[in-house]
Amino acid sequence: MAKRTPLYNKHLELHARMTEFAGFEMPLEYSGIIDEHLNVRNNVGIFDVSHMGDIIVQGKDTEKFLDYFLPTKFSSLQEKQAKYSSYLNEQGIMLDDTIVYKVNNEKALLIPNASTATMIYNWIVEKSKNFNIKIIDRTLLYSSIAVQGPKSVNVMKKITDYDYTKMGSFTFDFISLKDIETRDDDFLPYNKIMVSRTGYTGEDGFELIFSNEYAEDIWDILMREGKEFNLKPAGLGARDTLRMEKGMLLSGQDFHMDKSPIEASISWIIDWDHDFIGKEALLKIKDNYQKIFRGFIMIDNGIPRHGYKIYKNGNEVGYITSGTMSPVLKKGIGLGYIDKNLKIGDTVEISIREKLLKANVCKPKILR
Amino acid sequence: MEIDNRMLYSQTHEWVLVEGKNAKVGVSDYAQKQLTDIVYVELPAVGTHLTKGKSFGVIESVKAVEDIYAPISGKVINRNQQVMDKPEMINNEPYNAWLIEIEIENPEELKELMNPEDYKIFLDTEGGRW
């Protein structure tokens, strides 16, 4: 039996088409994937992302542990700064990607993906035995809603009293809602929810984290106050096409216990000036990897899909891991891995139902 | 879910509209809803011979690729260029957005398709392939 988020009944009220994802019954679409996609690019959309993991790490050794545990140098982050990162094993392979939020030197929040949250929790427990920290899994007690799009800040200004010029990209704060008084717990202060300027759409946007009991009320407030900005709910379908246009990795699809951050084109998450799990392996991979993550824009008429092979001059040079018809470009786009000696701008051929169709290689961030 | 009373239906959610010796083929409202936003259609060339039950083309949505299966056998005598240019027509008006026209080879095969009442029961009970 699939799990449901506290917003399940809201999705049904809105006549969402539901689908199972990572063990949760989630909305796939409401008004239509393309409509929701374009509304996030042009206005603002809200997503139920309560299925994502919420793992709190706190205690004296928080800095020491996370510095060792993540390729990101946690100790060099500012308070209330967030950073995209990854959980590596000793072989330098990504178990999952994540955002790490630094509350202070002794407290952090990790947001792994829904499908891997339990595995990552166990991985943290295993690796933290010799550290003085406490790990609290709030995945099933916290909900979260992503407010995404160029008008998301207008909506946030309406529902909170806060100066958002002070909240840069990948920072966060604990903020009061105008309409609801929220209780405190050992992570969220009294009358505050967590708001970060982060997201998975490539647009300006926010992610709100709070206790489950407030989920329906906060959803309703967003729907009501967002109306004048044409806010609409958006489902997992649009979430997927939005992240593809911006070249953001999907854990389990673009990498699945088989890639290092170097091959996945996110070397920038690695801070080489500290020791961390997988560092030695990464130093070897750095000079010896074969394939790298890239974007593809179709020249011919066709849509790349997961598993399709890529050719250059008759030789197989790679494979697609994600693909769709870009709602913005109205062209087939793909993400995948190709031989690292191929360059941005090169033309390759993608095998689509036994036909070789031309595509241009580009950076993963397809939509600039 | 709309079911057009003029058509016969296959278990893979294609519809057949018989017009004399020929028949038009499309996909049902149920099928288009399951597919989500349709963005690409690949259809066989005029003159291609289709065999009942075999895939004759694909419909792609933003999210997935699905085969379309020949509900009856016969030669393709026409394909709908308008739908190939504007695949969203299938979402907007599934029963007008015919895909191909076939010369009916064996009228007996039509008897194996479902009438609208039976298709409705089929949707309510067995559901779909997606």
Side-chain angles (χ1 to χ4, degrees):
Chain A
M1 176 84 182
K3 285 177 275 205
R4 292 171 176 177
T5 74
L7 292 167
Y8 177 78
N9 288 324
K10 288 286 153 202
H11 305 318
L12 295 193
E13 272 173 33
L14 291 160
H15 305 291
R17 216 178 110 210
M18 305 299 286
T19 188
E20 197 176 321
F21 179 77
F24 284 84
E25 258 185 283
M26 299 298 290
L28 176 69
E29 59 170 2
Y30 305 83
S31 56
I33 295 173
I34 294 175
D35 181 64
E36 294 162 26
H37 179 114
L38 295 175
N39 196 52
V40 169
R41 290 270 181 261
N42 298 324
N43 300 301
V44 51
I46 53 171
F47 301 79
D48 176 8
V49 287
S50 304
H51 59 309
M52 307 273 298
D54 307 274
I55 299 172
I56 298 159
V57 175
Q58 61 183 42
K60 272 206 169 63
D61 286 347
T62 298
E63 269 200 335
K64 212 168 100 189
F65 170 67
L66 289 176
D67 272 359
Y68 155 76
F69 190 62
L70 298 173
T72 300
K73 194 173 178 186
F74 178 81
S75 59
S76 68
L77 299 180
Q78 305 289 311
E79 284 192 1
K80 311 268 179 72
Q81 190 185 346
K83 193 144 189 257
Y84 177 66
S85 188
S86 173
Y87 308 101
L88 305 182
N89 65 15
E90 281 80 1
Q91 288 72 46
I93 298 301
M94 297 195 284
L95 305 175
D96 193 12
D97 57 359
T98 195
I99 294 182
V100 54
Y101 298 82
K102 182 173 185 172
V103 180
N104 55 45
N105 294 348
E106 298 192 359
K107 195 179 276 192
L109 176 69
L110 297 166
I111 308 276
N113 283 286
S115 53
T116 54
T118 307
M119 185 252 288
I120 294 302
Y121 177 81
N122 293 334
W123 181 244
I124 298 172
V125 171
E126 185 188 323
K127 292 293 160 186
S128 63
K129 277 179 191 138
N130 300 319
F131 294 87
N132 185 7
I133 59 162
K134 197 171 146 194
I135 307 149
I136 307 166
D137 185 358
R138 284 280 150 81
T139 302
L140 295 176
L141 296 178
Y142 284 171
S143 293
S144 67
I145 297 174
V147 186
Q148 300 283 302
K151 294 181 185 162
S152 55
V153 69
N154 304 68
V155 180
M156 294 308 296
K157 279 181 194 160
K158 267 186 88 181
I159 69 165
T160 55
D161 266 319
Y162 190 82
D163 176 10
Y164 285 96
T165 59
K166 285 193 303 190
M167 189 187 284
S169 177
F170 275 82
T171 63
F172 65 98
D173 212 341
F174 297 96
I175 298 175
S176 299
L177 292 163
K178 281 183 188 168
D179 288 4
I180 309 175
E181 186 182 349
T182 54
R183 66 174 171 80
D184 67 332
D185 63 23
D186 50 6
F187 182 73
L188 295 168
Y190 166 70
N191 208 18
K192 306 228 187 242
I193 64 164
M194 187 170 151
V195 176
S196 63
R197 202 153 197 165
T198 51
Y200 195 45
T201 61
E203 296 298 328
D204 187 18
F206 300 85
E207 289 174 300
L208 285 51
I209 296 176
F210 42 82
S211 288
N212 286 347
E213 60 200 275
Y214 307 112
E216 290 198 334
D217 285 346
I218 294 175
W219 181 270
D220 287 342
I221 290 168
L222 286 164
M223 291 288 284
R224 189 181 70 225
E225 301 300 324
K227 224 173 232 163
E228 64 172 298
F229 306 108
N230 207 25
L231 176 146
K232 287 184 189 179
L236 289 182
R239 188 167 158 82
D240 196 36
T241 53
L242 285 159
R243 69 95 194 165
M244 273 190 240
E245 282 184 341
K246 296 290 184 176
M248 292 165 158
L249 297 159
L250 175 59
S251 178
Q253 177 153 326
D254 296 313
F255 64 95
H256 191 64
M257 310 276 202
D258 58 349
K259 294 287 187 303
S260 68
I262 294 165
E263 293 153 296
S265 285
I266 50 167
S267 303
W268 57 269
I269 71 165
I270 306 164
D271 291 318
W272 293 103
D273 62 340
H274 76 302
D275 287 326
F276 55 91
I277 300 172
K279 184 180 179 181
E280 274 178 48
L282 286 186
L283 285 167
K284 286 184 191 131
I285 291 169
K286 203 156 71 112
D287 302 315
N288 288 301
Y289 68 99
Q290 303 299 321
K291 288 190 165 61
I292 187 146
F293 192 63
R294 290 287 181 243
F296 304 91
I297 302 178
M298 294 303 296
I299 300 167
D300 291 333
N301 203 4
I303 305 172
R305 302 283 182 181
H306 184 87
Y308 288 5
K309 288 178 175 155
I310 305 169
Y311 294 85
K312 176 84 183 173
N313 302 328
N315 300 314
E316 195 178 321
V317 292
Y319 49 90
I320 296 292
T321 51
S322 292
T324 189
M325 177 72 93
S326 160
V328 169
L329 300 174
K330 298 191 171 66
K331 284 179 190 170
I333 57 166
L335 298 169
Y337 293 84
I338 51 163
D339 288 352
K340 68 172 174 187
N341 49 8
L342 287 167
K343 291 179 182 65
I344 305 296
D346 280 358
T347 301
V348 292
E349 290 173 313
I350 300 175
S351 174
I352 302 182
R353 291 181 291 279
E354 271 128 62
K355 270 181 268 177
L356 289 177
L357 300 178
K358 285 195 185 67
N360 272 331
V361 181
C362 61
K363 288 185 180 169
K365 192 174 177 181
I366 295 164
L367 194 66
R368 311 300 298 172
Chain B
M1 216 68 68
E2 275 181 52
I3 296 174
D4 192 310
N5 282 325
R6 298 171 300 160
M7 278 78 165
L8 297 171
Y9 295 86
S10 72
Q11 295 200 358
T12 45
H13 308 285
E14 290 82 13
W15 55 254
V16 175
L17 179 64
V18 178
E19 294 173 325
K21 286 179 181 165
N22 303 329
K24 288 200 171 90
V25 175
V27 297
S28 73
D29 189 37
Y30 173 84
Q32 70 80 13
K33 279 205 174 76
Q34 295 302 309
L35 278 158
T36 71
D37 289 328
I38 294 166
V39 290
Y40 186 75
V41 184
E42 202 168 275
L43 298 173
V46 170
T48 308
H49 180 266
L50 307 187
T51 306
K52 180 184 157 75
K54 293 269 164 64
S55 164
F56 72 85
V58 293
I59 295 185
E60 297 200 37
S61 69
V62 278
K63 138 179 124 60
V65 186
E66 291 293 343
D67 281 302
I68 16 181
Y69 299 95
I72 52 171
S73 305
K75 197 171 80 178
V76 177
I77 54 169
N78 205 351
R79 59 177 187 179
N80 194 345
Q81 192 58 45
Q82 236 189 321
V83 166
M84 292 174 79
D85 295 339
K86 287 188 172 191
E88 65 271 23
M89 273 179 70
I90 301 168
N91 292 120
N92 299 336
E93 34 181 350
Y95 297 110
N96 282 323
W98 59 276
L99 303 172
I100 52 166
E101 199 173 354
I102 308 181
E103 202 172 69
I104 301 170
E105 186 176 285
N106 177 5
E108 288 295 305
E109 284 180 353
L110 293 170
K111 292 179 187 161
E112 294 161 30
L113 297 170
M114 289 177 270
N115 63 34
E117 293 76 36
D118 290 343
Y119 182 58
K120 186 178 186 312
I121 294 166
F122 175 74
L123 287 183
D124 290 345
T125 53
E126 289 177 63
R129 61 179 159 136
W130 293 310

